[in-house]
Amino acid sequence: MGYKITVEKTKASRLSEIDFNHLPFGKYFSDHMFVADYRDGDWHDCRIVPFGNFSMHPALSSLHYGQAIFEGMKAERDADGNPIIFRPLKNVNRLNISTERMAMPEVPEELFMNALDKLVSLDKDWIPDAPHSALYIRPHMYATEEFVGIKPAENFRFCIFTSPVGAYYSHPVKVFVQDKYVRAFPGGVGYAKCAGNYGAVMKPTREVQKMGYDQILWLDGIHHRYLQEIGTMNIFAIIDGVIITPALDQGTILDGVTRDSMIRLAENEGYVVQERDISIDEIINAYHEGKLQDLFGTGTAAVVSHIGEFHYKGENYELPPVEEREISNKLKGRFIAIKSGKAEDVFGWLHTVPVSVYAHQ
Ligand SMILES: Cc1ncc(COP(=O)(O)O)c(C=O)c1O
């Protein structure tokens, strides 16, 4: 059983070209990537090769019909220098939730984890050490059918590349509560990490960025009232000491790994956490009553990002200074300490990459 993964190492590492103290997000790519091709009902040619371009047919079906999905996760280094990856099993599980929705093949957990271990151990020197930096990992899959016509594809490519990254947002974010465009609705694909979800928000996002906002806070697609999520983050509100985050049951938001981790951390610290519908009216009423203590977003790229202010129907609402947000600052600190291996991994969230796999090479 199992998939054999071949390895072709680069002859010219680009590692020395990177300034690890000034890392923008998503611009540099490590030396190697993992690639596998799906045909005749199974994964073939599982390989690690030097990072580089693919050639492609102009009728590549994912470009036309959008069968394309991805994941995002991070590796850091523990005190002994071993690469650690935060909750990768949650990501492979979510990847396969996305593939199921998009009529794409599942990636077996064992193949995913072997590929990840081998790739990250091979490129472990690409893991940055500076605070708030990490090796971002981007698994993704797309249809490779060379065909014009709408039908579920039968051929796919699965690839994982990695990218050393710095902080995503360095300031409290300004969000625009969107009541014109919608991102997701029940029965749609909001819960899947499919490329089209991101393509569809480019225009609305550009519009609010031109007005000086960083991101959109999406409302539900039916009532335009209930909070969904922000850009690439799940949202949390703290009202009168209670932590509230939209529930997953409508299938309209991503089941964020950071979201789940924050909920578990908060409950473990003794806070009351409610996963439920929360309307923009409830947020604004709490604001006027002086009970809205916090709004923040969570995500792999941004970790925990405080919202500095939000805009809704012509009004701007300013939130308390970040240093006063005791609960989220405490949870953020606990979260960062665990995921970087500095605090005890009480929840069993860290996957230590077995460097020994490549130590002898
Ligand atoms: C739409 C969306 N929501 C939420 C998240 C946060 O999810 P996670 O914490 O797993 O990164 C992301 C990022 O992956 C996202 O793209």
Side-chain angles (χ1 to χ4, degrees):
M1 276 296 288
Y3 296 84
K4 182 171 164 29
I5 300 175
T6 62
V7 178
E8 178 196 340
K9 289 169 98 177
T10 183
K11 293 191 177 60
S13 171
R14 289 172 284 101
L15 190 60
S16 62
E17 295 166 18
I18 312 297
D19 177 359
F20 277 86
N21 292 316
H22 299 94
L23 287 172
F25 199 93
K27 188 167 170 208
Y28 300 121
F29 302 97
S30 318
D31 280 333
H32 299 91
M33 61 184 183
F34 170 81
V35 187
D37 290 312
Y38 187 87
R39 57 178 183 273
D40 304 327
D42 204 359
W43 291 102
H44 297 276
D45 307 329
C46 302
R47 57 207 188 269
I48 288 175
V49 289
F51 181 86
N53 293 353
F54 294 126
S55 71
M56 94 197 161
H57 193 282
L60 195 81
S61 59
S62 48
L63 293 181
H64 299 259
Y65 310 116
Q67 276 181 291
I69 55 134
F70 65 98
E71 270 302 320
M73 52 216 280
K74 279 181 175 169
E76 298 186 38
R77 227 190 281 273
D78 69 12
D80 302 321
N82 299 317
I84 43 178
I85 304 178
F86 189 71
R87 306 189 73 181
L89 293 174
K90 284 281 286 179
N91 291 90
V92 62
N93 179 55
R94 190 172 67 189
L95 179 98
N96 286 328
I97 288 172
S98 301
T99 59
E100 194 277 331
R101 180 62 181 86
M102 300 301 288
M104 297 168 78
E106 201 171 278
V107 176
E109 186 181 292
E110 184 208 348
L111 172 62
F112 184 94
M113 291 306 294
N114 280 342
L116 199 60
D117 280 347
K118 284 190 162 60
L119 184 66
V120 173
S121 18
L122 193 58
D123 281 340
K124 66 181 190 313
D125 294 342
W126 286 81
I127 303 174
D129 287 320
H132 309 299
S133 61
L135 187 69
Y136 184 76
I137 303 169
R138 172 51 63 88
H140 60 289
M141 189 198 299
Y142 55 93
T144 50
E145 210 88 355
E146 297 169 353
F147 178 80
V148 172
I150 302 184
K151 68 169 181 87
E154 286 172 15
N155 297 329
F156 296 86
R157 174 161 288 171
F158 175 58
C159 174
I160 310 176
F161 62 72
T162 67
S163 167
V165 297
Y168 198 72
Y169 292 119
S170 48
H171 57 278
V173 292
K174 279 175 75 173
V175 301
F176 186 95
V177 182
Q178 183 58 261
D179 57 349
K180 178 170 131 195
Y181 301 105
V182 296
R183 178 189 178 274
F185 37 82
V189 293
Y191 66 94
K193 209 161 164 57
C194 58
N197 276 341
Y198 299 83
V201 303
M202 297 295 176
K203 173 185 148 83
T205 304
R206 189 169 59 187
E207 281 182 13
V208 304
Q209 286 176 345
K210 274 193 187 147
M211 293 190 282
Y213 298 91
D214 298 295
Q215 271 301 345
I216 289 173
L217 169 49
W218 295 100
L219 298 180
D220 77 278
I222 295 177
H223 311 280
H224 298 247
R225 266 186 74 200
Y226 296 100
L227 272 50
Q228 286 185 336
E229 56 191 331
I230 318 165
T232 57
M233 298 189 285
N234 291 107
I235 184 159
F236 286 78
I238 305 184
I239 298 178
D240 225 2
V242 176
I243 303 175
I244 309 162
T245 192
L248 302 172
D249 55 358
Q250 302 279 316
T252 51
I253 62 171
L254 200 73
D255 180 0
V257 178
T258 323
R259 172 189 181 278
D260 182 74
S261 309
M262 289 303 277
I263 293 172
R264 290 179 58 191
L265 264 177
E267 286 175 344
N268 191 255
E269 295 279 333
Y271 294 110
V272 177
V273 183
Q274 297 176 350
E275 291 180 71
R276 63 166 171 85
D277 288 347
I278 175 162
S279 68
I280 187 67
D281 314 301
E282 182 176 348
I283 295 284
I284 287 171
N285 288 341
Y287 179 90
H288 289 307
E289 288 167 7
K291 293 181 180 168
L292 181 64
Q293 293 160 273
D294 207 341
L295 278 179
F296 60 95
T298 62
T300 297
V303 186
V304 172
S305 271
H306 292 104
I307 295 173
E309 96 182 53
F310 70 93
H311 174 103
Y312 181 59
K313 289 194 189 295
E315 296 283 335
N316 281 319
Y317 299 83
E318 216 167 294
L319 283 129
V322 167
E323 50 292 358
E324 287 175 19
R325 308 209 203 164
E326 223 173 275
I327 301 176
S328 60
N329 285 334
K330 181 168 157 193
L331 294 175
K332 178 178 180 176
R334 285 274 295 134
F335 178 74
I336 290 175
I338 292 179
K339 101 180 162 51
S340 59
K342 292 190 179 69
E344 193 193 342
D345 180 18
V346 281
F347 302 96
W349 283 340
L350 297 183
H351 170 76
T352 304
V353 174
V355 182
S356 57
V357 176
Y358 278 91
H360 64 282
Q361 289 199 333

